[in-house]
């Protein structure tokens, strides 16, 4: 069985590309910094940096909602590969192919941990929307589930 479960923080914003062709697919790549449960050299904490790749809807989700410093949980499978670089040397790769990914902490905690991350400003309601609330006609109070 090839199953991986990881929890860690993104080391940078996901890098997203789209495949070519009629059915373009999102391919998101990101690296998770996963703390080890033990420490080496006294108080120095050690982390592993795990490369992850998410395809399709998972890749689109990562592009839209993930950013550097956010803590996420990932399940997937390990995939190994190799290629020959420009110097003619064979390079071996190990990636986690993401099957499921989710937030591992609240948005408020995540924003505090990320430090420099600032959420996008919330757009103001248009003048046509007024104060943003729908008017309830008079005499309908009895039909509402709360009073």
């Amino acid at each position: 069985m090839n199953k991986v479960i990881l929890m860690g923080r993104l080391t940078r914003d996901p890098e997203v590309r789209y495949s070519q062709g009629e059915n373009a697919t999102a391919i998101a790549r990101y690296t998770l910094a996963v703390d080890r449960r033990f420490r080496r050299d006294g108080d120095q904490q050690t982390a592993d940096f795990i490369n992850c790749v998410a395809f399709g809807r998972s890749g689109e989700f990562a592009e839209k909602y993930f950013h550097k410093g956010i803590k996420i949980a990932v399940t997937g499978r390990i995939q190994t590969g190799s290629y020959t670089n420009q110097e003619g040397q064979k390079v071996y790769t190990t990636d986690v192919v993401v099957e499921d990914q989710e937030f591992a902490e609240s948005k408020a905690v995540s924003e505090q941990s990320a430090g420099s991350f600032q959420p996008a400003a919330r757009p103001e309601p248009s003048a046509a929307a007024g104060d943003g609330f729908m008017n309830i006609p008079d005499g309908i109070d009895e039909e509402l589930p709360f009073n």
Side-chain angles (χ1 to χ4, degrees):
M1 180 185 329
N2 184 352
K3 188 76 164 180
V4 176
I5 302 171
L6 300 169
M7 184 181 302
R9 295 193 182 277
L10 267 67
T11 61
R12 65 182 190 283
D13 290 346
E15 182 180 306
V16 182
R17 296 192 175 135
Y18 287 85
S19 64
Q20 295 187 5
E22 188 174 316
N23 297 325
T25 302
I27 304 166
R29 293 185 175 278
Y30 53 84
T31 302
L32 277 183
V34 179
D35 290 333
R36 292 188 183 173
R37 287 191 177 258
F38 63 90
R39 297 172 184 239
R40 288 186 188 166
D41 302 350
D43 288 334
Q44 208 172 30
Q45 189 155 2
T46 305
D48 292 304
F49 298 91
I50 313 294
N51 294 322
C52 300
V53 60
F55 295 96
R57 287 189 171 272
S58 293
E60 293 169 5
F61 184 87
E63 178 179 35
K64 188 172 183 179
Y65 297 108
F66 290 175
H67 55 83
K68 179 181 177 178
I70 193 170
K71 189 174 190 178
I72 64 170
V74 170
T75 59
R77 61 184 169 82
I78 292 179
Q79 180 172 294
T80 60
S82 65
Y83 64 92
T84 304
N85 66 14
Q86 293 177 345
E87 290 81 35
Q89 299 171 324
K90 194 164 193 167
V91 178
Y92 294 94
T93 62
T94 303
D95 295 311
V96 171
V97 177
V98 175
E99 295 169 355
D100 188 33
Q101 57 192 0
E102 59 189 67
F103 300 105
E105 63 188 0
S106 72
K107 186 175 181 180
V109 172
S110 177
E111 288 172 358
Q112 288 174 357
S113 300
S116 63
F117 173 73
Q118 295 295 322
R122 187 175 191 167
E124 292 296 320
S126 67
D131 60 3
F133 292 97
M134 183 175 96
N135 289 328
I136 299 175
D138 291 335
I140 197 167
D141 293 342
E142 301 82 34
E143 297 176 28
L144 295 175
F146 52 87
N147 281 327

